[in-house]
Amino acid sequence: MKVAKFGGTSLANAQQMQKVCSIVLADPDRKIVVVSAPGKRYSGDTKVTDLLIACANTYWEKGQAGEELQAVVSRYDEIVQELNLPKQVTEQIASDLQERLFTRERCTKERFMDRMKAAGEDHCAKIVAHYLQSLGKRAEYVHPGNAGMIVSDEPGNAQILPDSYAKLRELRNREGILVFPGFFGYSIDGEVVTFSRGGSDITGSIVAAAIEADLYENFTDVDSVYAVNPNLVANPYQIEEITYREMRELSYAGFSVFHEEALVPAFRAGIPVCIKNTNNPMAPGTRIVSERKITSKPVAGIAGDAGFCSIYLSKYLMNREIGFGRRLLQILEAEGLSYEHTPSGIDNISVILREDQLDPVLEHKLIHRIQEELKVDEVTIVHKLALVMIVGEGMRSSVGTTARATTALAKKKINIEMINQGSSEVSIMFGVQAKDVDDAVVALYQEFF
Ligand SMILES: Nc1ncnc2c1ncn2[C@@H]1O[C@H](COP(=O)(O)OP(=O)(O)O)[C@@H](O)[C@H]1O
Ligand SMILES: N[C@@H](CC(=O)OP(=O)(O)O)C(=O)O
């Protein structure tokens, strides 16, 4: 039994949906199909999820959003017409969206946004199920709440609740092809809650783990995962096999092809994952596995992501002060900030954070609290940082990887603000200025591939 997830680009229009359905029908093991909302049809187009966000924002502010709503309905209507489905399908979508908009009076903004965003996947799943039925196949739409996709009540950032797996497992016993909308679940109180953006990958992984699938196939618009973002380097090295650990680190650091949180459910259940191309399904794709043979290449991939900042603190004899780190992190916790890394020296420590969590007022308060409560000699916040990571299980057994990387960056005159090697030795992270991130990734790729 397989779970096949199709991303937004794979479902962007009627022609793509037909491709998706023929892929599903080509293999009777493809039992559960997880779908995203229709994505971009061409570069510069807008994903349905983003159209829904625009619609929700306008309606929230103005109490009406005729044009924005019509933009969403038109996307679906075009698909419905081209697939020769009855026009009532579009009418139902339009009235459901209108109903969701009307709930504005009775809920918070974040709850309202989640209800609207989730509509993208929900209607896409209904259309795909309807289309398969129109081809004479046994297929049904699955309601995530009824099926047991119960998640934490954190709008826009849901997490699966552990008890959900047992109920979801019952999907194994249903007949026919099951079309499951990705990206959202329901809270215990029955509210729609979405995962973070790109979260249909997470749904697929959860469902695959729950039904103990033989394989979780993740269909997208590239032939494989590449060793570097293909938008930065032409025809990059194609990865045939990569471990969960390597992929997790690379997704975290910027490989947007697979959501960084999507590996854990499949990994824990030991389900292999395969990334494949909807537009070229015969290509073998990339397999994500527990262990792989280490080749002569120490590095599996290189990724970079901007949007970080660093709080730098120094204090003479910091190393002797018991509880310093705890008190620092407690201040961050009290201010509702999550941190990414804490590289440290004898008398100094940096805390790397995602920059979008800070605003000038909070930043000022943070500096003041750190000065007052920790009596530091110096505290500064460095903005516009990027993290670049080289990742590979082979690095553990190879000497000189850091030297090669730093030399490659030095040759391009890229200043390294910070170096951090994870304790697992599967990755090395470099902090660079955001403006240098793409050059740094390309320089490292050229060095190792
Ligand atoms: N290392 C990488 N390998 C493959 N694709 C990558 C990589 N890094 C970034 N990408 C981008 O990820 C895109 C696929 O992810 P996404 O757009 O989320 O797909 P989907 O809509 O199928 O979920 C590719 O088109 C590619 O531009
Ligand atoms: N549609 C949602 C969820 C998702 O996973 O989409 P995609 O598969 O197109 O990345 C989003 O845009 O965030």
Side-chain angles (χ1 to χ4, degrees):
M1 223 178 245
K2 294 178 185 169
V3 170
K5 178 261 172 179
F6 293 87
T9 43
S10 304
L11 295 149
N13 57 27
Q15 205 191 353
Q16 288 297 100
M17 284 199 185
Q18 283 166 327
K19 277 189 206 167
V20 164
C21 291
S22 45
I23 291 171
V24 172
L25 296 174
D27 183 347
D29 281 348
R30 290 186 178 127
K31 163 88 184 158
I32 302 188
V33 182
V34 174
V35 298
S36 288
K40 293 184 183 187
R41 293 159 292 183
Y42 44 83
S43 105
D45 193 18
T46 309
K47 292 171 108 179
V48 162
T49 308
D50 291 311
L51 293 176
L52 284 162
I53 291 172
C55 177
N57 275 325
T58 307
Y59 195 86
W60 184 264
E61 280 160 29
K62 302 186 178 156
Q64 53 179 25
E67 220 174 275
E68 290 82 358
L69 178 60
Q70 191 48 43
V72 180
V73 175
S74 298
R75 281 293 299 270
Y76 284 114
D77 189 40
E78 202 178 288
I79 294 170
V80 167
Q81 286 196 37
E82 281 182 44
L83 294 179
N84 285 322
L85 298 176
K87 68 174 188 319
Q88 286 88 326
V89 175
T90 309
E91 285 164 9
Q92 276 163 11
I93 293 173
S95 83
D96 170 77
L97 290 172
Q98 193 61 69
E99 270 174 42
R100 287 179 198 244
L101 287 172
F102 286 153
T103 66
R104 164 182 174 258
E105 315 308 329
R106 309 189 291 277
C107 64
T108 61
K109 175 151 191 209
E110 48 183 15
R111 177 85 71 215
F112 176 71
M113 295 305 289
D114 267 18
R115 281 183 196 159
M116 290 302 291
K117 283 191 278 176
E121 274 58 23
D122 210 29
H123 291 303
C124 191
K126 286 179 182 164
I127 290 177
V128 171
H130 215 111
Y131 180 63
L132 286 166
Q133 288 158 7
S134 77
L135 299 176
K137 308 296 170 191
R138 185 157 186 185
E140 64 168 311
Y141 157 84
V142 179
H143 183 285
N146 296 346
M149 183 63 77
I150 308 303
V151 298
S152 63
D153 197 358
E154 297 169 82
N157 202 22
Q159 307 260 357
I160 187 73
L161 298 185
D163 290 348
S164 301
Y165 286 99
K167 171 89 173 135
L168 283 166
R169 188 178 162 77
E170 292 169 16
L171 291 171
R172 280 183 78 91
N173 308 325
R174 291 214 208 163
E175 295 289 324
I177 299 166
L178 307 179
V179 189
F180 201 112
F183 191 40
F184 70 95
Y186 285 79
S187 68
I188 291 173
D189 295 334
E191 296 288 353
V192 170
V193 196
T194 70
F195 296 115
S196 53
R197 288 300 304 270
S200 298
D201 289 340
I202 307 176
T203 308
S205 184
I206 292 168
V207 173
I211 69 155
E212 285 180 58
D214 300 310
L215 182 64
Y216 170 29
E217 294 176 307
N218 192 287
F219 283 88
T220 179
D221 63 346
V222 280
D223 273 357
S224 74
V225 177
Y226 299 100
V228 69
N229 184 340
N231 301 309
L232 294 178
V233 174
N235 302 315
Y237 180 84
Q238 295 198 4
I239 300 174
E240 275 171 40
E241 262 192 353
I242 188 165
T243 66
Y244 293 109
R245 251 180 354 165
E246 289 170 327
M247 193 62 201
R248 158 85 176 109
E249 304 246 354
L250 287 164
S251 301
Y252 167 83
F255 273 23
S256 54
V257 63
F258 197 61
H259 194 293
E260 57 160 312
E261 289 171 34
L263 276 168
V264 175
F267 166 72
R268 289 202 178 131
I271 316 287
V273 182
C274 190
I275 311 279
K276 285 176 76 77
N277 191 350
T278 298
N279 304 316
N280 186 15
M282 297 314 283
T286 300
R287 285 177 72 83
I288 308 175
V289 292
S290 305
E291 275 178 49
R292 68 175 177 92
K293 247 216 242 95
I294 303 300
T295 62
S296 55
K297 289 192 190 325
V299 173
I302 294 152
D305 202 7
F308 295 90
C309 65
S310 166
I311 308 173
Y312 172 83
L313 280 76
S314 72
K315 183 175 185 184
Y316 182 54
L317 293 182
M318 181 189 287
N319 61 324
R320 303 263 303 264
E321 200 173 317
I322 292 171
F324 185 90
R326 177 185 51 76
R327 282 184 286 131
L328 170 61
L329 294 180
Q330 239 164 10
I331 295 177
L332 297 184
E333 184 182 350
E335 298 301 335
L337 296 166
S338 70
Y339 74 96
E340 306 290 319
H341 314 280
T342 53
S344 63
I346 306 166
D347 288 334
N348 54 66
I349 184 165
S350 297
V351 186
I352 314 284
L353 315 170
R354 297 228 179 237
E355 202 162 30
D356 59 7
Q357 301 181 91
L358 289 182
D359 58 42
V361 177
L362 181 53
E363 194 174 316
H364 188 264
K365 184 172 175 203
L366 204 57
I367 291 183
H368 184 73
R369 281 196 67 177
I370 290 171
Q371 279 166 338
E372 287 299 305
E373 294 172 36
L374 301 176
K375 306 277 182 259
V376 293
D377 298 327
E378 187 188 346
V379 50
T380 46
I381 300 190
V382 182
H383 285 281
K384 295 196 177 142
L385 283 183
L387 297 181
V388 176
M389 276 168 74
I390 55 176
V391 176
E393 302 269 1
M395 293 192 323
R396 255 197 309 264
S397 51
S398 89
V399 176
T401 313
T402 310
R404 283 175 69 185
T406 51
T407 308
L409 294 174
K411 276 192 193 150
K412 294 282 172 195
K413 305 214 173 337
I414 295 168
N415 189 34
I416 300 170
E417 310 271 335
M418 180 270 294
I419 301 185
N420 194 14
Q421 178 167 29
S423 347
S424 63
E425 283 189 58
V426 76
S427 67
I428 304 171
M429 178 185 294
F430 300 97
V432 299
Q433 288 182 22
K435 68 174 177 48
D436 291 330
V437 61
D438 290 350
D439 290 344
V441 169
V442 173
L444 292 169
Y445 177 76
Q446 284 164 350
E447 172 59 34
F448 290 103
F449 288 90

